[in-house]
Amino acid sequence: MILSILGLGCLLCVVVSGFKTATVVGSGPVGLASALVLAKRHGYQVTVLESAERIDVYDPRKGYPFLIGERGQRLTKLFPSLLHEPLKERGVGVQGPTQLVSIPADPKEVVDLEPKEITIFRPSGERFWVPRHEFTKILLDAATKTENITLVNGVSCRGVKTESDSEIIVCTESKDEYGSLVRKEYKSSILIAADGMNSAVRESLSKPESSLSNWVNGKPKGFQVKRWNSPSSGLKFKTLHMNPKAKIPVGDGTEYQIPFNTQTFHALRSQFKSPKTAMSLGILPCREVPSRAMNVIRLAKHDIWEIRDGNKLKEWFSEAFPRLDFGSDTPMIEQEEFDRFAANDGLTLPPVQYSPELQVQSHTGNAAVIILGDAAHTFPPDLGEGVNSGLEDVVALDEALTNNETPGEMATSYAKARKPETKALVKIATHGAPFQYGQSGGLLTVKRILWTLNFGARLILNKLSFGLTPPQLAIQISQTNLAYSVVWKRAQMLTLTLWMVFAGIMARAFGLL
């Protein structure tokens, strides 16, 4: 009898031990945030797998900043000292409407340095601009300080399988110090897929031969992404770094140095106007840094992408921005930066896509896979909701872990909360603000005009109805107390109402005729 009790106790220990282990694939912001939630708030032993050798190294190709809004801060506020306070220290807090200083290309035109409020958007609460790599470092520092998180770099996920109903196996490949291929398996009861838009975990689940295909929600078709293009999908993107000490002639004999630690945006306008040559460089708020990043987002057929020589690129910029200095001891852009920019292939803004299913679980509920972040939903950065929606996924994961006992129950709860939000989010991303990059020419011009008319009509209706009709999607999304599904439903209801009114008017007109 005693032996039986001891045996039962050992069995329970094994079950509990298995239940309290988790593997996270991907150590970007969403992956690291998931690891912190699992380890610090729910007592899991967490292994984080990352294909890159290091993630805390600054990559100039991805020098863009994040705008962490209230949705993202719901996650950082779960860890006040580890995440939220460092975010406030390393980021620039902004509130209220956007303030903009526009700097024209013509050096004879005097620059109006008084920031102008762009009052269409009035986001609620304080948001923080922080460079992508700095935010990743904040999360990485927190994960490194957490004893029950193990970080493994340089391993690539090659698939997911299972041999029992209580664990998932992640198959990985890496290379040892001699360059030889090393294969290893990581087992746990919970697997978090946070490995980006080309998620290896999700792709493994989408294959007919997947050993998880007979699990609950395991049908491969459920993990085959639905994909389409928005007007901003396919645009090319590169980051160009400016010398923060450079001074800009104001046009009245004085010079202006773009300040740090301010919530004012700056836009440098070029004198070129055609679709293949037009350029505007946006400078976003940031803390004091050795160089400031400017995003160049243009059509794939833009002339700038054809220039692969640094000297020729410098000549092009000198002609496009005659106000700016590119030749003194403190030029706006150094020659080395022109060389790097010209040689770099850059990135392409992604299509809009989402995974229909966000979880798969064993029939006993003792093991589950969860998909979140870019692995669940991807879209261009038009609305700045990429990182915020991913962190909101992690908050939903935390709530599901808090309110459920088994991995299966947790996975069901998470998917129930996030599937409607994911579907609404990708629709919003398609229609929200996809023409902010100055796309024009041919059919794009027609689409841009139609979008602008739609935007204006909804804005006017909202004003005339004293808020009874919702404003356009891009404005609604700034009201962070609204769920994505609510925002999309309100927009669709207004669209249906407008079509019904239009149909009534047409019917009345034809009736009179």
Side-chain angles (χ1 to χ4, degrees):
M1 180 67 178
I2 294 175
L3 290 175
S4 298
I5 293 173
L6 289 173
L8 178 60
C10 290
L11 177 61
L12 287 173
C13 287
V14 171
V15 171
V16 171
S17 175
F19 172 55
K20 302 301 285 186
T21 59
T23 304
V24 176
V25 180
S27 67
V30 172
L32 291 173
S34 300
L36 286 168
V37 161
L38 285 160
K40 294 194 73 66
R41 290 178 60 82
H42 300 282
Y44 280 79
Q45 292 291 331
V46 183
T47 301
V48 181
L49 308 178
E50 169 58 44
S51 59
E53 292 293 340
R54 292 185 64 181
I55 64 166
D56 58 344
V57 177
Y58 176 65
D59 183 350
R61 298 175 306 162
K62 301 177 181 179
Y64 49 83
F66 286 147
L67 179 59
I68 310 297
E70 287 192 320
R71 298 180 195 274
Q73 290 174 55
R74 290 170 191 160
L75 182 280
T76 61
K77 288 177 180 177
L78 294 178
F79 306 95
S81 60
L82 282 176
L83 299 184
H84 198 65
E85 289 304 319
L87 172 63
K88 293 169 67 176
E89 291 171 4
R90 302 190 201 182
V92 176
V94 296
Q95 296 187 42
T98 300
Q99 295 181 337
L100 176 68
V101 171
S102 181
I103 301 175
D106 186 356
K108 296 179 182 178
E109 184 177 347
V110 177
V111 180
D112 183 357
L113 296 176
E114 184 66 29
K116 300 295 185 295
E117 286 191 354
I118 303 176
T119 56
I120 292 176
F121 298 92
R122 285 190 175 274
S124 58
E126 186 175 22
R127 296 97 64 211
F128 295 93
W129 285 104
V130 59
R132 179 185 183 278
H133 67 283
E134 283 293 337
F135 188 59
T136 303
K137 282 182 180 179
I138 291 171
L139 289 157
L140 183 60
D141 289 345
T144 303
K145 295 173 183 176
T146 305
E147 291 184 358
N148 48 334
I149 295 179
T150 301
L151 302 170
V152 184
N153 289 341
V155 295
S156 300
C157 173
R158 293 303 179 212
V160 177
K161 65 179 183 178
T162 185
E163 295 172 353
S164 72
D165 65 356
S166 60
E167 65 181 10
I168 302 110
I169 303 170
V170 181
C171 305
T172 67
E173 289 182 354
S174 61
K175 290 187 177 181
D176 63 17
E177 57 184 320
Y178 304 106
S180 300
L181 192 64
V182 177
R183 290 187 171 89
K184 189 173 180 180
E185 296 181 345
Y186 294 85
K187 302 178 180 181
S188 61
S189 60
I190 291 179
L191 170 60
I192 303 295
D195 49 342
M197 66 174 289
N198 298 315
S199 169
V201 174
R202 188 195 63 230
E203 288 300 310
S204 180
L205 296 175
S206 72
K207 296 178 180 178
E209 63 270 20
S210 170
S211 61
L212 282 73
S213 61
N214 62 347
W215 280 20
V216 178
N217 283 338
K219 293 181 179 179
K221 188 176 181 180
F223 298 96
Q224 294 171 3
V225 297
K226 295 186 180 296
R227 181 182 293 115
W228 60 92
N229 287 325
S230 85
S232 55
S233 297
L235 295 178
K236 288 199 66 175
F237 164 79
K238 286 187 184 182
T239 299
L240 184 66
H241 293 79
M242 63 165 280
N243 180 354
K245 297 181 180 179
K247 295 184 178 180
I248 300 171
V250 175
D252 60 359
T254 63
E255 293 182 318
Y256 176 67
Q257 186 172 331
I258 296 175
F260 290 108
N261 302 319
T262 174
Q263 70 175 49
T264 302
F265 291 67
H266 292 75
L268 306 177
R269 311 297 188 186
S270 78
Q271 66 174 346
F272 296 154
K273 305 302 179 185
S274 74
K276 293 186 65 177
T277 59
M279 178 73 66
S280 181
L281 300 175
I283 303 173
L284 303 176
C286 72
R287 295 283 185 183
E288 189 163 350
V289 289
S291 67
R292 298 186 74 158
M294 301 181 289
N295 294 336
V296 179
I297 304 176
R298 295 285 115 180
L299 294 169
K301 294 181 180 180
H302 196 280
D303 285 352
I304 197 171
W305 309 130
E306 303 298 323
I307 305 173
R308 305 309 296 263
D309 177 82
N311 291 321
K312 292 182 178 179
L313 186 66
K314 180 178 179 180
E315 292 175 7
W316 189 93
F317 268 86
S318 298
E319 186 177 356
F321 298 93
R323 179 185 295 273
L324 305 182
D325 167 32
F326 298 109
S328 70
D329 292 336
T330 55
M332 175 64 68
I333 301 169
E334 302 282 356
Q335 181 63 50
E336 292 80 2
E337 179 60 11
F338 279 126
D339 295 337
R340 183 201 66 80
F341 184 92
N344 186 269
D345 290 331
L347 304 172
T348 301
L349 297 192
V352 178
Q353 68 177 43
Y354 77 99
S355 175
E357 291 294 345
L358 300 180
Q359 63 94 8
V360 58
Q361 59 183 276
S362 65
H363 289 281
T364 61
N366 290 330
V369 181
I370 308 294
I371 299 177
L372 36 62
D374 285 349
H377 42 73
T378 310
F379 38 84
D382 308 336
L383 297 171
E385 289 299 304
V387 67
N388 288 293
S389 61
L391 296 177
E392 200 169 56
D393 288 346
V394 182
V395 173
L397 173 68
D398 176 60
E399 292 173 352
L401 287 163
T402 300
N403 298 324
N404 298 278
E405 294 184 359
T406 68
E409 292 170 343
M410 176 273 295
T412 300
S413 177
Y414 167 82
K416 183 179 180 180
R418 295 311 289 172
K419 282 179 71 172
E421 299 305 298
T422 295
K423 290 181 180 180
L425 178 59
V426 294
K427 294 293 185 182
I428 292 168
T430 305
H431 299 86
F435 288 100
Q436 62 182 279
Y437 309 106
Q439 309 101 301
S440 60
L443 187 58
L444 274 175
T445 299
V446 176
K447 290 182 177 180
R448 184 177 181 180
I449 292 172
L450 291 174
W451 180 89
T452 303
L453 291 173
N454 182 284
F455 184 100
R458 290 174 187 262
L459 185 62
I460 292 170
L461 280 172
N462 176 255
K463 298 294 184 183
L464 292 177
S465 67
F466 299 98
L468 292 178
T469 63
Q472 199 268 352
L473 287 167
I475 299 176
Q476 286 194 73
I477 207 74
S478 66
Q479 300 170 5
T480 52
N481 60 313
L482 294 177
Y484 297 124
S485 56
V486 172
V487 170
W488 180 244
K489 186 178 295 184
R490 291 173 64 181
Q492 289 299 92
M493 287 297 294
L494 178 56
T495 299
L496 178 61
T497 302
L498 292 175
W499 275 114
M500 290 175 66
V501 170
F502 176 75
I505 293 172
M506 294 301 294
R508 179 68 173 169
F510 279 106
L512 290 174
L513 290 174

